[in-house]
Amino acid sequence: MPVPWFLLSLALGRSPVVLSLERLVGPQDATHCSPGLSCRLWDSDILCLPGDIVPAPGPVLAPTHLQTELVLRCQKETDCDLCLRVAVHLAVHASLQAQVVLSFQAYPTARCVLLEVQVPAALVQFGQSVGSVVYDCFEAALGSEVRIWSYTQPRYEKELNHTQQLPALPWLNVSADGDNVHLVLNVSEEQHFGLSLYWNQTGPQIITLNHTDLVPCLCIQVWPLEPDSVRTNICPFREDPRAHQNLWQAARLQLLTLQSWLLDAPCSLPAEAALCWRAPGGDPCQPLVPPLSWENVTVDKVLEFPLLKGHPNLCVQVNSSEKLQLQECLWADSLGPLKDDVLLLETRGPQDNRSLCALEPSGCTSLPSKASTRAARLGEYLLQDLQSGQCLQLWDDDLGALWACPMDKYIHKRWALVWLACLLFAAALSLILLLKKDHAKAAARGRAALLLYSADDSGFERLVGALASALCQLPLRVAVDLWSRRELSAQGPVAWFHAQRRQTLQEGGVVVLLFSPGAVALCSEWLQDGVSGPGAHGPHDAFRASLSCVLPDFLQGRAPGSYVGACFDRLLHPDAVPALFRTVPVFTLPSQLPDFLGALQQPRAPRSGRLQERAEQVSRALQPALDSYFHPPGTPAPGRGVGPGAGPGAGDGT
């Protein structure tokens, strides 16, 4: 987070400490001196025995001043120890060469190192400083008191000494990296601490926090900037569901090495992790528990799985309160996309007994097996691959093992057979097309469909017209009396229907009976009396005219394959259709549009893979008419029944 403007303070009671320390990389001590001098550090420490002062045989090079500085000595990026750098300033009192001893004492540790320093004759000025030598460094514990002595060996003059109190726990190091500022807080794993980022302001303030920044461990501390002031602390988001959701959204899984990874999150949280196996195709990742078990996770602490090899299909699942929170296929970043491999689980029992099963979406299939799954069908080949060393071992211990066996070669064999079958099919299809060219031309125009309905009211007629128009967008040749009013007037409804029905069935088409409450009533009257009941006979009512020819087809068993029934979801329930007409499929629209369109295809035509897409196309074209019919603009939605007599004008019964 770019923060070039804020003031940092640690909530350490009355003595906050902020340190910005230089970082030394490497475990070895070292020394360097100012230009002109040469210096060398002895390889090992010496005994701390200063001895008595002895008279100098002549001029000597002696320490004149001690200076210390806190630095960080780091083994790794985040593994650093506090270290005390010592600078010794030197002056010539007689000689051009000296052995300088640095003695370090911090309970319970004591060390002495020996530095050899030499100054060229050109720099020698009696009584004047000739430079300094720097030693890196004495490791020191936080909160301890350190004492440093410096003297020559032999000891010609009184030693120099320096005492320094190191900061107490915790302490903070601030460093900048581009636009980011890093705050490194060095505390033990068991220690609790508070950290405050605050504005030095006066007067009333309103501070707005972005809800995405709220996490359970975010606390607020307020205090007046006065000596010995009491601080008010509050942590209001510990139980806030939004804060916990933000915490998991900010959490990340990071792969460090082949076996190690860590969970990076703003707050500590209770969690468990396990490996899972994810196959291509979007199937759920299947936890490998057993044989591997759930492991407790600590935020920002490295966790290791006992893997022998990595695999892109291996993923890590993190659960909290038995709910899946995170899932990352960490190895896919370095090993590539998911592979079509099968994972074999080997379980070892007493007396060297072992069993194998293949992990599949349906579960773990024992090998060998007579099941119908892919792994069961290839069981013998998978076992042979395992015995011949073609499978990659991912994990192994006394209880079992995991093996990843490639399936590419079997897929290639299967595709070779598929291509051969396709070639044979193409040859046969070409022959059929040559023999039935005329039939193919007719099929290209689409199957004929005759749509019959009862004109219950003008609104229902508009709904039928919308359905017929939508079906025309498909490879169907739709005939409906709405589009043939002139022919109906000239021929009469009975003659027009007979001609349309005969032509449709001769061409192998289908007659669609669109049932409504009015149509069900007319059918019931015909089944009871054999003739049309009393009522208004519209001049274009082809449905009433069609019953005299439709009923014999149903009574004599000729209807299946040539007739299809349909009704609208909110207007009529299929059970309201008379039983005689339910000897053919009756579909509700638009909920069963895919099955309805499938029934309108040629009887031997293969189911198109675009059937669902076409159903969605018809549904979109039909929806405005449905909305207008069931909910006319400017009027409340009418109550509609599901049995005969229900219609757009029916009341709600109140």
Side-chain angles (χ1 to χ4, degrees):
M1 177 179 66
V3 281
W5 40 264
F6 61 67
L7 181 62
L8 293 171
S9 175
L10 268 177
L12 301 178
R14 301 172 184 174
S15 58
V17 177
V18 178
L19 300 176
S20 183
L21 306 182
E22 181 181 341
R23 300 165 70 91
L24 307 176
V25 179
Q28 300 299 322
D29 293 342
T31 187
H32 58 275
C33 42
S34 57
L37 302 182
S38 60
C39 51
R40 181 177 71 90
L41 172 67
W42 277 38
D43 293 336
S44 58
D45 291 2
I46 64 172
L47 295 176
C48 298
L49 300 174
D52 298 328
I53 297 177
V54 298
V60 294
L61 185 64
T64 59
H65 178 63
L66 275 180
Q67 186 177 353
T68 59
E69 178 186 5
L70 286 175
V71 294
L72 290 177
R73 180 152 66 185
C74 304
Q75 307 288 341
K76 300 179 182 178
E77 181 66 24
T78 59
D79 183 13
C80 300
D81 295 311
L82 198 60
C83 207
L84 199 64
R85 169 183 288 166
V86 181
V88 182
H89 296 267
L90 304 170
V92 175
H93 290 185
S95 174
L96 303 183
Q97 180 173 346
Q99 289 185 335
V100 179
V101 175
L102 291 180
S103 177
F104 169 86
Q105 183 175 350
Y107 181 83
T109 302
R111 289 185 60 197
C112 287
V113 297
L114 182 62
L115 310 177
E116 287 189 350
V117 187
Q118 187 170 1
V119 58
L123 294 181
V124 174
Q125 295 183 9
F126 188 77
Q128 299 294 320
S129 174
V130 295
S132 62
V133 59
V134 176
Y135 169 72
D136 286 329
C137 55
F138 293 115
E139 290 188 6
L142 291 167
S144 62
E145 184 180 81
V146 175
R147 301 191 67 188
I148 303 289
W149 290 270
S150 178
Y151 49 87
T152 61
Q153 181 176 282
R155 188 175 164 209
Y156 298 122
E157 296 185 1
K158 185 178 180 180
E159 76 274 6
L160 301 177
N161 65 79
H162 177 78
T163 301
Q164 181 165 343
Q165 181 71 44
L166 271 67
L169 287 171
W171 61 271
L172 180 72
N173 183 47
V174 182
S175 62
D177 179 14
D179 293 334
N180 298 322
V181 173
H182 301 293
L183 313 179
V184 181
L185 188 64
N186 188 357
V187 296
S188 64
E189 294 184 359
E190 297 80 13
Q191 185 178 12
H192 296 275
F193 63 91
L195 175 65
S196 299
L197 310 180
Y198 71 90
W199 289 272
N200 187 353
Q201 298 286 350
T202 60
Q205 298 286 329
I206 297 177
I207 301 173
T208 302
L209 298 177
N210 193 323
H211 71 90
T212 59
D213 296 331
L214 304 183
V215 289
C217 60
L218 177 62
C219 299
I220 300 171
Q221 186 179 81
V222 182
W223 71 98
L225 294 180
E226 300 173 358
D228 299 326
S229 61
V230 177
R231 303 192 177 206
T232 301
N233 297 276
I234 182 174
C235 300
F237 310 110
R238 287 177 178 173
E239 306 299 329
D240 191 327
R242 296 173 303 171
H244 285 271
Q245 182 178 0
N246 292 340
L247 174 60
W248 282 111
Q249 289 178 347
R252 295 291 183 270
L253 296 178
Q254 298 181 11
L255 182 68
L256 302 180
T257 65
L258 180 62
Q259 292 88 10
S260 62
W261 60 277
L262 61 80
L263 174 63
D264 181 16
C267 308
S268 60
L269 44 84
E272 292 181 318
L275 287 176
C276 64
W277 178 265
R278 184 176 183 183
D283 293 324
C285 199
Q286 297 174 271
L288 300 180
V289 182
L292 301 177
S293 59
W294 290 98
E295 297 285 344
N296 291 329
V297 181
T298 301
V299 172
D300 295 332
K301 184 175 182 180
V302 176
L303 186 69
E304 293 190 0
F305 282 121
L307 290 176
L308 302 175
K309 298 287 185 180
H311 194 283
N313 295 32
L314 283 176
C315 307
V316 177
Q317 289 182 335
V318 177
N319 278 8
S320 179
S321 301
E322 299 183 354
K323 179 182 178 182
L324 179 62
Q325 299 287 359
L326 289 175
Q327 178 178 298
E328 293 289 341
C329 298
L330 303 175
W331 291 269
D333 294 337
S334 57
L335 301 180
L338 302 179
K339 296 182 179 180
D340 193 12
D341 292 358
V342 63
L343 186 70
L344 299 185
L345 277 64
E346 178 184 345
T347 303
R348 297 166 183 162
Q351 299 179 354
D352 202 25
N353 293 329
R354 74 170 189 168
S355 60
L356 283 166
C357 68
L359 192 64
E360 296 186 285
S362 58
C364 207
T365 305
S366 299
L367 297 182
S369 172
K370 296 182 180 179
S372 59
T373 63
R374 181 179 71 161
R377 291 193 297 269
L378 300 173
E380 293 186 9
Y381 300 104
L382 292 173
L383 293 176
Q384 292 175 6
D385 290 347
L386 182 62
Q387 294 173 357
S388 60
Q390 299 184 42
C391 298
L392 178 67
Q393 189 176 34
L394 305 179
W395 170 76
D396 182 47
D397 74 354
D398 296 336
L399 299 179
L402 295 176
W403 306 83
C405 299
M407 300 288 285
D408 295 344
K409 57 183 178 181
Y410 303 115
I411 295 174
H412 295 159
K413 290 179 181 178
R414 182 176 62 188
W415 277 110
L417 294 175
V418 171
W419 277 112
L420 180 60
C422 289
L423 291 175
L424 294 174
F425 175 76
L429 183 60
S430 299
L431 180 61
I432 293 173
L433 292 175
L434 289 174
L435 295 176
K436 298 185 177 181
K437 187 179 298 183
D438 293 338
H439 178 74
K441 290 181 180 179
R445 299 198 309 269
R447 192 183 189 191
L450 176 60
L451 187 59
L452 300 177
Y453 69 99
S454 171
D456 291 8
D457 53 51
S458 60
F460 187 71
E461 280 193 307
R462 287 192 293 271
L463 185 57
V464 173
L467 175 62
S469 299
L471 294 178
C472 284
Q473 300 177 22
L474 309 177
L476 288 173
R477 290 179 292 117
V478 180
V480 63
D481 66 338
L482 285 171
W483 301 338
S484 305
R485 292 294 170 85
R486 181 174 298 177
E487 291 86 344
L488 275 171
S489 299
Q491 301 175 18
V494 175
W496 180 86
F497 168 72
H498 278 284
Q500 293 294 330
R501 171 187 166 278
R502 183 174 60 255
Q503 181 180 353
T504 299
L505 296 181
Q506 285 177 351
E507 294 179 0
V510 61
V511 179
V512 180
L513 300 177
L514 188 58
F515 290 100
S516 64
V520 170
L522 287 173
C523 291
S524 299
E525 292 173 3
W526 268 95
L527 291 174
Q528 292 173 6
D529 304 330
V531 294
S532 174
H537 289 236
H540 312 299
D541 195 347
F543 187 82
R544 187 185 303 273
S546 69
L547 290 178
S548 59
C549 285
V550 168
L551 283 174
D553 288 341
F554 278 87
L555 292 172
Q556 298 172 19
R558 297 193 301 268
S562 300
Y563 287 81
V564 169
C567 59
F568 291 106
D569 286 310
R570 290 183 285 175
L571 187 61
L572 189 74
H573 195 280
D575 292 343
V577 176
L580 177 63
F581 295 98
R582 295 204 301 271
T583 56
V584 300
V586 179
F587 303 97
T588 58
L589 306 179
S591 61
Q592 293 183 319
L593 263 175
D595 295 331
F596 176 63
L597 298 182
L600 297 184
Q601 289 184 340
Q602 295 285 354
R604 298 181 180 178
R607 282 298 184 95
S608 171
R610 298 179 57 191
L611 198 58
Q612 182 64 37
E613 179 182 342
R614 290 173 176 174
E616 293 175 357
Q617 178 183 351
V618 173
S619 180
R620 287 194 297 269
L622 192 59
Q623 194 60 48
L626 287 170
D627 293 340
S628 176
Y629 179 67
F630 288 103
H631 302 291
T635 63
R640 303 188 187 277
V642 295
D652 59 6
T654 59

